[in-house]
Amino acid sequence: MSANSVQVLANAGKGESTRTLLRVIILLLIAGAAIASRLFSVIRFESIIHEFDPWFNFRATRYLVAHGFYKFWDWFDDRTWHPLGRVTGGTLYPGLMVTSGAIYHALRALTIPVDIRNICVLLAPAFSGLTAYAAYLLTNEMTPSPSAGLLAAAFMGIAPGYISRSVAGSYDNEAIAIFLLVFTFYLWIKALKQGSMLWGALCALFYGYMVASWGGYAFITCLLPLHAFVLICMGRYSTRLYVSYTTWYALGTLASMQIPFVGFLPVKTSEHMPALGIFGFLQLLAFLDYVRSAIPSRQYQTFLWLFASGTFGLGLLVLVVATSAGVIAPWSGRFYSLWDTGYAKIHIPIIASVSEHQPTAWPAFFFDLNMLIWLFPAGVYLCFQQLADEHVFIVVYALFGSYFAGVMVRLMLTLTPVVCVAAAIAISNVLDTYLDARSPNPEDHQVDDVSDGTAKKAAKSGLKSTSKPVVGVYSTVSKSIVATAMTAYLLLFVLHCTWVTSNAYSSPSVVLASRLPDGSQHIIDDYREAYQWLRQNTREDAKIMSWWDYGYQIGGMADRPTLVDNNTWNNTHIATVGKAMSSREEVSYPIMRQHEVDYVLVVFGGLLGYSGDDINKFLWMVRIAEGIWPDEVKEREFFTPRGEYKVDADATETMKNSLMYKMSYYNYQSLFPPGQAQDRVRGVRLPDVGPTLNVLDEAFTSENWIIRIYKVKDLDNLGRDHASAAAFERGHKKKKANKKRVARLLRVD
Amino acid sequence: MRWLPTFLSASLLAATGALAAKKSTEERFKEFHAKSLSSTPVKLADSSYRSLTATPRDYTVAVLLTALDARFGCQLCREFQPEWDLLSRSWIKGDKPGASRLVFGTLDFTDGRDTFMSLGLQTAPVLLFFPPTTGPHAASSPEPIRFDFANGPQSAEQVHEWLARHMPNRPHPAVKRPINWLKWISTFVITSGSLTFAYVAWPYVLPVIQNRNVWAAISLISILLFTSGHMFNHIRKVPYVAGDGRGGISYFAAGFQNQYGMETQVVAAMYGVLSFATISLAVKVPRIADPKVQGVAVLAWGGILFVMYSFLLSVFRVKNGGYPFSLPPFM
């Protein structure tokens, strides 16, 4: 009876339809796990948009939903970058907003009432489910093993390297871009394998969608030509390659040029040149291929040489002329910063100041990928076994991706898919070998071993390790040991991913959480408190000056115009704000008046020990300002003679007189008993006498002092300068120095 | 009688001033310009430094205060000196009549101990720029402007730009770097040599290039390098190892965002061993025909994998204090 039921169970897994059903169920479960693991932040906090950039995307989406697509396309935003404004419709990647707008309208059409905010919050988790499916498809193209695809999907679903940018509320371009990236690669492999124009066109379509969604599309633009180039170098030029590549390039480039932000870049900038170059190269190869079939081989040799050298010379000439004539843009700064972030530090401080543009230390790799990081090389090695065209793709992608992930933390995101695919290939290879219930018979293979010589020679072109024939694993003990160990590692991986997601990647950073001594959770909500205050207590067109990090949040949450925001398109404007923050009050005040600033917002973590505050970012403001006004702002002067960055009594005069220092520490000592004032971030004791502010009034300070807002004073009614007016109000005598004052001049504007 | 010391010191000051001003500003410029035509930057000592920078002056002075002697171990000074020489030479060469009225000088610590003392300098090099106090380009303050070496060694072009910014409306002869013949010749020789070698060795090299094992090895090694943070070392120029403060060596840097050169190599080796064990389990072991050898191989590779992974986790716990997971041997 029991033997019979086992038989039934064993047969149940063998039918094709049963397998398909199982696969669908497993994929659905994986998608469920992928979505569920991204919901930590919603459960722990609430359904809220995270961080900085998502707030802009959210605001843009609301605009799109409210005003319609065409208005959105032509949107000129006069509430940012005051007084310049920003041509928002032409300077963003609209894919994300249009996707959520479409979902919103579709749900509305189905009479499901849903708030646009909830769509935005949950978009990234929903797309992560799709990404897992795309990884499944891509892996299935690589290996015949049915389990590899499912493993890849599972890895993709829960790998922290991807979760870091796709938790619920992280409404950023990457939320949909990674799905598009993986799916475009899948379509490319499909097109290449079949030499199919249809798949090539589909690939171009999704490439166009990717371009519309994320600036990282350049990764595809460089990787596909590289793959094609490697294939050509390996002597694997084929009509399949020709058809798929040219279809992708022609249609994909046209599609990408439809995005106003991209425009003519694909034919101008150097990042796009490899794709164009390979396109031309393939045409030449196709032409040569045709000529070879048409003329005798002796003449063909001469023709080939002449043709090759002529083309090379001509191409070089055109490139030199075009670059020197300025038709082709020089290699852009962001591009250089990919090769060497040291370049960015010297030449473009605004890029170097972003923590995402820093190189990656090894713990970050392990943190984001755990055991996948060491399965990854093994998987790549296994790709060398067959080394068909699609395996070359994995190898090229692995090298390219790991280099860029090493240079820039953010690009860990583009590495994660290939790590998941390669690791899945490796681990499925191990599991397939050791979970096979059939054991080989030792006698069969003893004989084989002797007559192995011929087989060895046949497999010469392959890897050394695969020269012998596969025998299989004999002992059940061996099988169970390896299978148990692998299961343990996989379980550990799941634990790791959950732990990392829960601890590191699920904080909205708008709302902070801390633990009280009794272990209960305490929510610190200063940001929203302050933005709400701005919304309720200031005029609707009151201009807020803050460092650019908070621009999007002020725009999104407080709905007030800002001077600079996270778009960072205008370095000079940012440097102006940096100068205002790092100069003396007398210098800053005219700058603020000229920009019609009504309120200044600073972030101060000294009371709470919140290290991401403005004093810690201050040196970047100084550096960026120094880049534009090297004679007026000097980084050196913010360091003590011994080269230390100090905020206590030893701080330099320039530091103590800077507007940022004054705004951060204004009245701070009054919180403490005399002599006890302490900055908990820098861990220093502050002087008893705090700074005085003459041109600003304190308007608002949040509960934990994280956000401080100051109102810019109007001109003095009696025409005095602010310093003397403030001194008079404090009850000081008029100083004799006033006698020396120069006769007041008539102001001519 | 209280006025006497004041008077004395005042007269003394006047006397030294008169001594310095004995030669008129025009004469001094001519003297130093003539000197710089023969060899620039002018090598200064305490007295000549005082005379050169005395007020009033209708010319501009750029003095590099440096400490070249090996005793002081000033790496930055030695790195900057050739750039400084190059800058002053190409400036003077481009402005022989002295239309820009700029004198370059170098004052070494061994020759100008007193000047270093009086300026209260703790560090070297320091580049001081003395604007003219009289004449058409006179600046409001006679105080020198200090150039910042905070960002490490500067190139001649960067300093040139800085000088030009402080001297508007005057000629700024550009920095001309001499042609590096040695570099050109060596590049040419190396290129032609390697081309010849490639041509001769092609039949022998070709099988190596087409060998899949070679490419697999290259790919794996580069992946291991990149994923173990080699680019971080390269960009941040981290030290190879560092002391732990008790005379020993600390192999692993404290902190999540930090690492040493050797640490990344250890990590790369660990990843390599783990990968190799996986490859062996997946590819090599099932190809062993002898059951006993196979059993031993499974145990060996499985054991290595387990122990190494456990060690990797323990190393990671060093980097990230709150990490809760571990495997048996290295708990």
Side-chain angles (χ1 to χ4, degrees):
Chain A
M1 181 66 205
S2 65
N4 203 8
S5 63
V6 167
Q7 200 64 39
V8 168
L9 268 177
N11 283 334
K14 280 183 182 148
E16 193 53 42
S17 58
T18 330
R19 281 181 176 225
T20 315
L21 181 68
L22 274 176
R23 236 173 255 175
V24 170
I25 292 173
I26 292 173
L27 278 174
L28 283 177
L29 286 175
I30 288 172
I35 293 170
S37 66
R38 285 165 169 81
L39 296 182
F40 274 110
S41 58
V42 171
I43 293 163
R44 208 170 285 162
F45 301 97
E46 59 188 278
S47 171
I48 183 185
I49 304 285
H50 291 190
E51 299 198 330
F52 306 106
D53 286 20
W55 277 101
F56 167 75
N57 299 327
F58 177 51
R59 183 162 159 255
T61 311
R62 270 193 311 193
Y63 188 90
L64 169 71
V65 168
H67 295 92
F69 182 70
Y70 289 103
K71 271 245 170 121
F72 173 71
W73 206 248
D74 296 330
W75 184 20
F76 177 81
D77 189 359
D78 57 354
R79 292 178 73 78
T80 53
W81 294 92
H82 183 81
L84 307 168
R86 172 184 172 195
V87 191
T88 313
T91 56
L92 51 61
Y93 293 102
L96 182 72
M97 297 97 192
V98 174
T99 307
S100 23
I103 294 174
Y104 176 76
H105 287 300
L107 288 178
R108 278 300 174 98
L110 293 170
T111 66
I112 301 174
V114 62
D115 185 11
I116 184 69
R117 189 197 61 200
N118 286 326
I119 291 179
C120 292
V121 166
L122 295 176
L123 189 75
F127 266 86
S128 73
L130 289 176
T131 314
Y133 181 61
Y136 166 78
L137 291 176
L138 180 64
T139 316
N140 276 354
E141 294 300 317
M142 300 298 157
T143 159
S145 161
S147 61
L150 292 173
L151 276 168
F155 289 158
M156 196 68 222
I158 59 172
Y162 175 39
I163 288 188
S164 65
R165 287 321 201 87
S166 63
V167 291
S170 175
Y171 180 56
D172 214 339
N173 292 331
E174 291 92 330
I176 63 170
I178 296 304
F179 161 66
L180 294 170
L181 184 87
V182 181
F183 202 67
T184 312
F185 287 152
Y186 162 68
L187 292 170
W188 161 250
I189 295 295
K190 202 82 185 163
L192 180 67
K193 268 183 160 179
Q194 305 190 355
S196 146
M197 212 180 258
L198 176 70
W199 286 102
L202 272 177
C203 178
L205 190 72
F206 272 86
Y207 172 72
Y209 191 7
M210 172 79 182
V211 177
S213 305
W214 192 36
Y217 75 88
F219 192 76
I220 303 184
T221 323
C222 292
L223 190 59
L224 297 195
L226 188 65
H227 181 211
F229 183 68
V230 171
L231 286 179
I232 293 168
C233 287
M234 290 170 77
R236 291 194 182 185
Y237 167 78
S238 60
T239 41
R240 286 181 294 112
L241 179 64
Y242 180 79
V243 169
S244 50
Y245 187 84
T246 40
T247 316
W248 166 74
Y249 182 73
L251 293 179
T253 309
L254 283 178
S256 66
M257 286 165 80
Q258 305 309 309
I259 312 301
F261 192 28
V262 178
F264 280 93
L265 292 183
V267 287
K268 273 183 168 172
T269 55
S270 304
E271 295 102 291
H272 299 81
M273 283 303 128
L276 182 62
I278 296 293
F279 180 69
F281 193 45
L282 274 175
Q283 308 306 323
L284 293 181
L285 282 178
F287 176 65
L288 288 177
D289 215 36
Y290 168 73
V291 171
R292 186 166 57 182
S293 64
I295 60 173
S297 61
R298 281 286 286 282
Q299 288 165 342
Y300 179 73
Q301 283 294 331
T302 338
F303 174 78
L304 186 68
W305 273 110
L306 279 176
F307 189 72
S309 48
T311 321
F312 181 73
L314 203 71
L316 201 67
L317 195 74
V318 167
L319 195 70
V320 169
V321 169
T323 310
S324 58
V327 181
I328 304 175
W331 302 71
S332 63
R334 266 179 213 260
F335 191 78
Y336 274 122
S337 67
L338 272 183
W339 297 108
D340 183 4
T341 22
Y343 170 88
K345 199 184 172 200
I346 300 168
H347 298 280
I348 332 167
I350 195 141
I351 289 184
S353 76
V354 180
S355 63
E356 288 169 344
H357 293 155
Q358 310 295 336
T360 320
W362 80 265
F365 279 101
F366 190 76
F367 193 69
D368 277 354
L369 297 165
N370 192 253
M371 72 163 183
L372 303 186
I373 198 68
W374 53 263
L375 285 170
F376 173 44
V380 173
Y381 181 81
L382 291 176
C383 283
F384 274 95
Q385 272 189 330
Q386 288 188 359
L387 210 63
D389 292 355
E390 62 269 22
H391 298 121
V392 176
F393 178 75
I394 292 294
V395 174
V396 171
Y397 184 5
L399 283 170
F400 199 64
S402 52
Y403 171 77
F404 283 112
V407 173
M408 208 185 261
V409 175
R410 179 143 96 127
L411 292 177
M412 185 74 85
L413 204 56
T414 51
L415 176 68
T416 308
V418 72
V419 171
C420 291
V421 171
I425 291 174
I427 208 159
S428 77
N429 221 307
V430 173
L431 289 181
D432 285 353
T433 311
Y434 290 87
L435 287 180
D436 193 349
R438 286 162 298 175
S439 288
N441 191 356
E443 270 89 61
D444 295 351
H445 298 281
Q446 297 299 339
V447 197
D448 279 13
D449 217 23
V450 189
S451 61
D452 223 16
T454 45
K456 232 177 214 173
K457 269 175 194 146
K460 204 184 159 193
S461 66
L463 287 171
K464 211 174 164 192
S465 57
T466 56
S467 50
K468 286 184 196 163
V470 177
V471 178
V473 183
Y474 296 102
S475 120
T476 329
V477 180
S478 306
K479 284 178 187 172
S480 54
I481 286 176
V482 174
T484 319
M486 282 296 159
T487 318
Y489 302 149
L490 285 171
L491 287 175
L492 191 63
F493 174 69
V494 173
L495 287 176
H496 172 94
C497 292
T498 321
W499 181 78
V500 168
T501 312
S502 143
N503 282 286
Y505 293 138
S506 293
S507 160
S509 92
V510 176
V511 185
L512 309 167
S514 71
R515 297 243 170 246
L516 294 180
D518 62 351
S520 66
Q521 184 170 272
H522 176 62
I523 301 281
I524 296 160
D525 209 353
D526 281 36
Y527 279 97
R528 287 198 294 177
E529 183 193 349
Y531 295 138
Q532 198 60 29
W533 183 88
L534 276 177
R535 196 184 258 274
Q536 288 173 350
N537 294 287
T538 60
R539 278 182 297 116
E540 210 189 330
D541 62 343
K543 280 87 187 167
I544 317 290
M545 181 171 93
S546 71
W547 190 233
W548 60 262
D549 294 20
Y550 315 108
Y552 278 165
Q553 289 185 347
I554 296 172
M557 284 193 254
D559 191 24
R560 292 291 173 268
T562 51
L563 258 65
V564 291
D565 64 28
N566 313 43
N567 187 237
T568 65
W569 64 275
N570 189 329
N571 188 35
T572 316
H573 213 52
I574 289 178
T576 310
V577 172
K579 188 185 170 191
M581 295 289 195
S582 52
S583 306
R584 301 171 61 86
E585 281 183 83
E586 298 87 67
V587 182
S588 307
Y589 186 68
I591 299 177
M592 292 192 285
R593 292 290 298 183
Q594 280 159 359
H595 291 84
E596 301 178 302
V597 175
D598 296 292
Y599 293 91
V600 189
L601 181 148
V602 289
V603 173
F604 173 67
L607 183 65
L608 211 62
Y610 171 61
S611 61
D613 69 350
D614 276 347
I615 291 284
N616 278 357
K617 291 176 185 167
F618 191 34
L619 281 178
W620 287 110
M621 306 184 201
V622 174
R623 265 171 222 156
I624 290 168
E626 189 181 7
I628 305 285
W629 292 279
D631 295 331
E632 294 175 66
V633 184
K634 293 190 184 100
E635 188 185 347
R636 184 74 192 79
E637 292 174 357
F638 290 85
F639 286 102
T640 58
R642 292 175 60 196
E644 291 162 314
Y645 179 63
K646 288 208 153 186
V647 294
D648 53 5
D650 299 336
T652 62
E653 277 309 301
T654 319
M655 180 77 190
K656 280 182 179 167
N657 283 321
S658 67
L659 197 65
M660 174 56 71
Y661 180 88
K662 286 186 171 183
M663 286 192 293
S664 293
Y665 292 107
Y666 183 66
N667 263 345
Y668 183 59
Q669 81 285 354
S670 65
L671 275 180
F672 298 87
Q676 304 280 308
Q678 212 193 6
D679 183 328
R680 295 203 175 109
V681 177
R682 267 68 58 179
V684 290
R685 183 156 294 179
L686 294 168
D688 277 343
V689 184
T692 52
L693 266 176
N694 294 326
V695 301
L696 301 172
D697 277 327
E698 184 176 359
F700 174 80
T701 295
S702 63
E703 186 189 351
N704 299 297
W705 287 60
I706 289 187
I707 304 249
R708 309 197 67 186
I709 299 172
Y710 291 87
K711 186 170 174 34
V712 179
K713 279 186 190 167
D714 210 343
L715 288 175
D716 187 49
N717 280 337
L718 301 175
R720 300 167 293 185
D721 62 68
H722 283 103
S724 51
F728 180 76
E729 257 161 49
R730 277 194 293 269
H732 291 195
K733 273 196 300 193
K734 236 185 178 181
K735 281 178 192 145
K736 282 184 180 168
N738 281 356
K739 275 187 196 165
K740 278 188 189 165
R741 209 168 55 187
V742 194
R744 207 179 304 131
L745 288 174
L746 186 68
R747 264 183 62 189
V748 185
D749 281 333
Chain B
M1 297 302 263
R2 280 175 69 194
W3 51 268
L4 190 61
T6 328
F7 173 77
L8 269 178
S9 61
S11 58
L12 261 174
L13 262 177
T16 47
L19 218 77
K22 199 163 57 182
K23 291 180 198 159
S24 80
T25 160
E26 187 57 40
E27 276 169 37
R28 274 183 292 148
F29 177 70
K30 275 196 181 137
E31 180 198 334
F32 280 105
H33 187 65
K35 264 189 201 169
S36 59
L37 279 178
S38 59
S39 91
T40 182
V42 180
K43 208 159 163 43
L44 300 172
D46 273 330
S47 57
S48 51
Y49 171 83
R50 267 197 300 277
S51 138
L52 180 61
T53 59
T55 50
R57 54 174 183 266
D58 65 344
Y59 53 91
T60 315
V61 184
V63 183
L64 179 73
L65 298 143
T66 184
L68 287 175
D69 203 314
R71 270 180 299 156
F72 308 116
C74 175
Q75 186 67 26
L76 196 53
C77 304
R78 263 171 281 158
E79 273 171 29
F80 182 64
Q81 195 61 36
E83 294 289 308
W84 175 243
D85 292 344
L86 173 72
L87 169 66
S88 73
R89 244 181 288 126
S90 44
W91 187 294
I92 296 296
K93 215 175 182 182
D95 181 28
K96 278 191 177 142
S100 63
R101 299 191 75 77
L102 174 66
V103 177
F104 289 89
T106 307
L107 178 65
D108 198 275
F109 182 71
T110 41
D111 306 325
R113 210 171 281 263
D114 295 344
T115 313
F116 272 76
M117 295 288 199
S118 64
L119 288 169
L121 291 180
Q122 301 284 331
T123 55
V126 170
L127 176 54
L128 293 179
F129 176 86
F130 293 85
T133 55
T134 59
H137 303 296
S140 53
S141 149
E143 286 305 305
I145 304 166
R146 197 168 155 168
F147 180 78
D148 210 1
F149 282 95
N151 300 326
Q154 305 282 324
S155 71
E157 282 82 4
Q158 276 165 310
V159 180
H160 179 271
E161 194 190 324
W162 181 76
L163 282 177
R165 211 169 54 232
H166 287 287
M167 299 172 62
N169 308 326
R170 275 186 272 177
H172 311 124
V175 175
K176 280 203 200 91
R177 289 191 182 270
I179 300 169
N180 192 344
W181 291 109
L182 190 69
K183 193 181 158 195
W184 279 102
I185 293 171
S186 60
T187 316
F188 177 74
V189 169
I190 289 171
T191 321
S192 51
S194 49
L195 280 177
T196 319
F197 179 76
Y199 186 75
V200 173
W202 187 245
Y204 308 99
V205 173
L206 194 64
V208 177
I209 292 180
Q210 289 180 335
N211 190 328
R212 209 180 273 188
N213 291 306
V214 173
W215 283 104
I218 292 175
S219 311
L220 292 201
I221 288 171
S222 7
I223 288 175
L224 286 175
L225 273 183
F226 293 142
T227 53
S228 62
H230 175 74
M231 290 314 292
F232 185 95
N233 296 350
H234 184 71
I235 290 167
R236 290 288 168 81
K237 301 189 172 54
V238 298
Y240 188 67
V241 279
D244 61 354
R246 283 167 308 190
I249 295 174
S250 102
Y251 292 100
F252 295 100
F256 198 67
Q257 294 293 332
N258 214 349
Q259 61 182 19
Y260 297 136
M262 187 167 173
E263 179 182 345
T264 59
Q265 289 170 359
V266 171
V267 169
M270 279 195 281
Y271 288 168
V273 168
L274 287 165
S275 294
F276 195 72
T278 316
I279 292 169
S280 302
L281 282 176
V283 179
K284 288 195 177 150
V285 169
R287 288 182 165 81
I288 297 175
D290 186 354
K292 272 183 193 156
V293 177
Q294 193 187 53
V296 172
V298 167
L299 276 183
W301 286 120
I304 288 174
L305 191 66
F306 192 77
V307 172
M308 198 42 97
Y309 192 29
S310 155
F311 183 58
L312 179 62
L313 285 174
S314 77
V315 168
F316 187 69
R317 278 203 309 281
V318 173
K319 303 293 286 188
N320 188 341
Y323 190 68
F325 305 114
S326 59
L327 282 174
F330 300 93
M331 290 298 269

